């Protein structure tokens, strides 16, 4: 019976720890609008999620890279030195974690993760949809759901 | 209908019938799985964004579906066992836990192997991944409770209660990608509008899902047979069965 | 050991070979384990029950059930393994007439 109690307690503790970890991260990332509105805590490391603005990616020396994230309303500049995930590209949904620099408009990222969408299709179909979009028809944008 | 259920639920009949059904289900599973593997690994075109790496979807998503499905079956069987004192329901619940834990483990590992090249990390503590990990712990809890308590009936009842309480985690897992901002993307197939996956990829995905479901039923029957035999070891039909085997 | 180029290209999986094939290998291994575990357990349970039956005098078994078992006795402990090895690995999963309930 003691053994049973220990197992139940062990599972409870494990679940509790995980839930505590999840509580911190329940909101996995903030949007640029929330950053601009000052909703994100300053100081500790935070995560910002958004789409990489087309044409904003600048490669510096070595692995240095800077780009701008947008959620459609506001933007946040990100600077990062490190290996980017394979899915990183302009227009792609990205979650960057790091520290906000003073002023709050720029994130010094320690990690950049790509967030892909829930659409799966062959390249030809994607091209056809892109053509249709440019022809004036609306298709859902690729990238992160905000 | 009720009479049939009763007959099926009687241990000797279950043992005989499941022994007859398991191989058929196993072959059906193998056939579907080979079809799904061919469709997913050979026939399906690469993804427009993720290239070839997305092929992990054909094992990752069905595993994740099974991890939830089996948990619901297990909790349902536990509830039936608690309310109607049905022995076979107890057996189904016990036999489901290891299979469910296996699929949860597979969903986590394949997801991790998919996340590294695409997201850039093996693991993040977002709501979807964390709640799926909790599901694995819930399965471990059920299995642990079962093996820790000597008396089988008591063990089944304790583990069943634990499983039923853990059901709250199931909707959390499913809706985590909608309730919270997660790195994990939203549902592709199980949303209300049309699935946002091309037909050439959807077909092997569904084939694999069917194959995994058949696999679960096959293994469930095999495990349940062991369980029935052990529980009924002193019953007349088991003794006769063993005796007939020994005399051959 | 050189593969034709298209085949090698296929196995490279566009550079994601490690992740894709690892995923499928893990799935295959876990599924195989899930099949083997209950099959082996069923064999063990049956063997244990057969051994138990040999040591307990059971009136239910009747004369026809007891005699062949006794005939096996001169072989000593080997009688058990003999009884098991007579059932091939696949026998557990196949429907054989032995599975029928009594009467």
């Amino acid at each position: 019976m003691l053994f049973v109690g220990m197992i139940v307690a062990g599972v409870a503790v494990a679940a509790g720890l995980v839930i505590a970890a999840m509580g911190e991260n329940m909101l996995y990332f903030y949007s640029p609008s929330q950053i601009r509105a000052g909703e994100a805590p300053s100081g500790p490391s935070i995560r910002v999620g958004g789409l990489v603005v087309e044409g904003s990616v600048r490669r510096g020396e070595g692995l240095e890279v800077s780009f701008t994230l947008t959620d459609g309303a506001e933007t946040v500049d990100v600077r990062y030195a490190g290996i980017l995930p394979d899915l990183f590209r302009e227009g792609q949904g990205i979650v960057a974690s790091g520290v906000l620099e003073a002023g709050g408009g720029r994130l010094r990222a320690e990690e950049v993760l790509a967030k892909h969408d829930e659409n799966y299709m062959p390249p030809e179909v994607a091209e056809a949809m892109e053509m249709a979009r440019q022809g004036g028809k609306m298709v859902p944008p690729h990238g992160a759901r905000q | 209908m009720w009479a049939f259920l009763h007959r099926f639920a009687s241990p000797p009949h279950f043992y005989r019938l499941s022994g007859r059904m398991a191989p058929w289900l196993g072959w059906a599973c193998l056939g579907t799985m080979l079809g799904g593997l061919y469709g997913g690994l050979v026939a399906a075109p690469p993804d427009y964004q993720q290239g070839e790496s997305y092929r992990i979807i054909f094992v990752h998503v069905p595993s994740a579906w099974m991890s939830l499905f089996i948990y619901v079956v297990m909790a349902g069987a536990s509830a039936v066992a608690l309310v109607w004192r049905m022995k076979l329901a107890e057996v189904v619940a016990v036999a489901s836990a290891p299979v469910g834990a296996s699929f949860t483990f597979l969903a986590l590992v394949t997801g991790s192997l998919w996340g590294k090249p695409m997201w850039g990390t093996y693991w993040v503590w977002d709501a979807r991944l964390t709640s799926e990990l909790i599901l694995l712990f819930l399965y471990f809890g059920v299995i642990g409770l079962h093996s820790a308590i000597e008396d089988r009936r008591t063990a089944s009842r304790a583990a069943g209660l634990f499983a039923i309480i853990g059901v709250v985690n199931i909707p959390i897992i499913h809706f985590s990608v909608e309730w919270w901002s997660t790195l994990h993307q939203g549902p592709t197939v199980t949303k209300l509008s049309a699935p946002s996956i091309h037909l050439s990829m959807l077909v092997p995905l569904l084939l694999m899902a069917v194959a995994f479901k058949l696999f679960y039923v096959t293994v469930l029957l095999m495990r349940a047979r062991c369980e029935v035999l052990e529980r009924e070891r002193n019953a007349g039909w088991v003794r006769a069965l063993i005796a007939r085997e020994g005399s051959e | 050991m050189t593969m034709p180029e298209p085949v090698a290209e296929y196995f490279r999986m566009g550079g994601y070979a490690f992740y894709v094939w690892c995923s499928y290998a893990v799935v295959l291994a876990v599924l195989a384990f899930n099949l083997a575990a209950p099959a082996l357990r069923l064999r063990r349970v049956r063997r244990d029950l057969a051994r138990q039956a040999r040591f307990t005098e059971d009136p239910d078994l009747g004369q026809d059930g007891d005699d062949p078992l006794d005939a096996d006795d001169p072989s000593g402990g080997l009688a058990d393994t003999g009884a098991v090895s007579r059932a091939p690995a696949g026998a557990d999963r196949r429907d054989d007439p032995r599975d029928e309930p009594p009467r």
Side-chain angles (χ1 to χ4, degrees):
Chain A
M1 211 54 210
L2 184 73
F3 189 51
V4 175
M6 274 166 61
I7 284 185
V8 171
V11 169
V13 168
L17 280 175
V18 175
I19 287 171
M22 188 154 76
E24 260 170 45
N25 297 280
M26 224 26 147
L27 197 69
Y28 189 69
F29 55 80
Y30 295 93
S31 68
S33 294
Q34 287 173 305
I35 302 282
R36 292 290 184 183
E39 285 176 35
S42 57
S45 180
I46 58 156
R47 297 192 192 87
V48 185
L51 302 181
V52 180
V53 174
E54 303 270 351
S56 70
V57 179
R58 303 256 183 283
R59 309 248 171 203
E61 280 174 39
L63 293 169
E64 282 276 341
V65 63
S66 72
F67 54 90
T68 308
L69 284 183
T70 179
D71 60 355
E74 294 285 352
T75 60
V76 168
D77 291 335
V78 180
R79 292 203 303 150
Y80 175 65
I83 296 166
L84 292 165
D86 292 3
L87 269 184
F88 182 90
R89 59 194 72 159
E90 292 179 355
Q92 181 68 43
I94 287 292
V95 177
S97 63
V99 185
L100 275 182
E101 288 176 2
R106 187 194 282 256
L107 187 83
R108 180 93 214 151
E110 288 138 19
E111 189 180 32
V112 170
L113 302 178
K115 181 173 161 55
H116 64 78
D117 57 20
E118 67 272 28
N119 302 314
Y120 302 91
M121 58 186 125
E124 311 86 71
V125 176
E127 268 167 40
M129 281 177 77
E130 184 65 20
M131 298 249 296
R133 191 170 67 94
Q134 282 165 359
K137 273 179 243 167
M138 281 297 292
V139 286
H142 309 140
R145 305 171 326 121
Q146 290 299 309
Chain B
M1 175 66 196
W2 192 243
F4 167 78
L5 248 179
H6 238 269
R7 232 171 81 90
F8 182 73
S10 94
H13 273 96
F14 172 79
Y15 187 82
R16 187 171 63 111
L17 212 60
S18 59
R20 191 175 294 174
M21 281 160 64
W24 287 104
L25 287 165
W27 287 115
C29 166
L30 187 68
T32 329
M33 197 174 287
L34 288 177
L37 285 176
Y38 175 78
L41 285 174
V42 182
D47 181 55
Y48 75 118
Q49 276 203 318
Q50 306 187 31
E52 307 285 350
S53 72
Y54 91 104
R55 293 188 194 278
I56 296 173
I57 198 177
F58 301 115
V59 283
H60 171 72
V61 169
S63 297
W65 285 344
M66 288 313 291
S67 70
L68 302 185
F69 176 78
I70 295 176
Y71 196 92
V72 172
V73 170
M74 183 177 77
S78 300
V80 170
L82 281 175
V83 175
W84 287 293
R85 300 283 153 90
M86 200 171 139
K87 272 191 206 165
L88 196 63
E90 273 178 20
V91 171
V92 166
V94 191
S96 291
V99 198
S102 299
F103 278 119
T104 313
F105 172 78
L106 285 180
L108 289 169
V109 170
T110 56
S112 183
L113 284 167
W114 194 4
K116 182 60 186 172
M118 286 302 112
W119 295 347
T121 178
Y122 282 111
W123 184 262
V124 288
W125 292 101
D126 84 345
R128 169 56 72 84
L129 277 66
T130 310
S131 52
E132 183 76 10
L133 184 66
I134 292 178
L135 184 69
L136 186 64
F137 288 154
L138 286 175
Y139 276 119
F140 285 165
V142 170
I143 296 169
L145 272 176
H146 247 290
S147 54
I149 304 177
E150 199 67 39
D151 177 53
R152 273 171 197 267
R153 299 308 294 268
T154 321
S156 291
R157 231 170 277 168
L161 211 62
F162 183 88
I164 291 166
I165 295 168
V167 161
V168 292
N169 192 33
I170 299 297
I172 293 182
I173 295 176
H174 183 78
F175 292 110
S176 56
V177 287
E178 292 172 20
W179 291 345
W180 299 290
S181 63
T182 54
L183 189 62
H184 197 286
Q185 71 284 2
T188 295
V189 179
T190 56
K191 58 184 183 188
L192 290 177
S193 52
S196 47
I197 179 169
H198 195 260
L199 195 67
S200 58
M201 303 163 174
L202 181 62
V203 169
L205 182 63
L206 294 181
L207 273 178
M208 288 304 281
V210 171
F212 278 19
K213 210 148 271 182
L214 287 169
F215 182 87
Y216 163 56
V217 180
T218 309
V219 172
L220 176 68
L221 288 182
M222 287 169 74
R223 284 192 173 277
R225 296 187 90 210
C226 297
E227 194 71 23
V228 164
L229 216 53
E230 282 191 334
R231 285 176 180 229
E232 303 271 315
R233 58 166 62 227
N234 291 320
W237 69 272
V238 174
R239 294 184 181 204
L241 181 87
I242 298 299
R244 205 173 312 130
E245 222 162 81
S247 66
E248 258 169 33
Chain C
M1 271 307 285
T2 48
M3 279 183 283
E5 187 48 32
V7 180
E9 180 63 35
Y10 170 75
F11 280 106
R12 268 200 291 279
M13 276 285 149
Y16 297 114
F18 172 78
Y19 303 105
V20 173
W21 298 123
C22 270
S23 294
Y24 280 84
V26 172
V27 170
L28 232 66
V30 170
L31 293 192
F33 174 80
N34 267 280
L35 272 182
L40 292 176
R41 186 172 152 213
L42 191 64
R43 273 175 73 179
R44 206 187 56 227
V45 171
R46 285 182 165 196
R47 192 182 56 205
D48 288 352
L49 288 179
R51 184 175 297 154
Q52 192 185 31
R54 283 184 66 240
F55 289 114
T56 48
E57 204 64 37
D58 194 335
D60 271 1
L61 289 179
Q63 307 89 330
D64 53 0
D66 261 292
D67 289 340
L69 279 176
D70 289 342
D72 267 354
D73 264 350
S75 62
L78 289 174
D80 276 333
T81 43
V84 172
S85 61
R86 242 176 277 141
D92 296 334
R93 301 161 54 199
R94 221 171 294 132
D95 171 57
D96 33 74
R98 294 174 281 174
D99 287 2
E100 275 173 21
R103 286 171 286 274

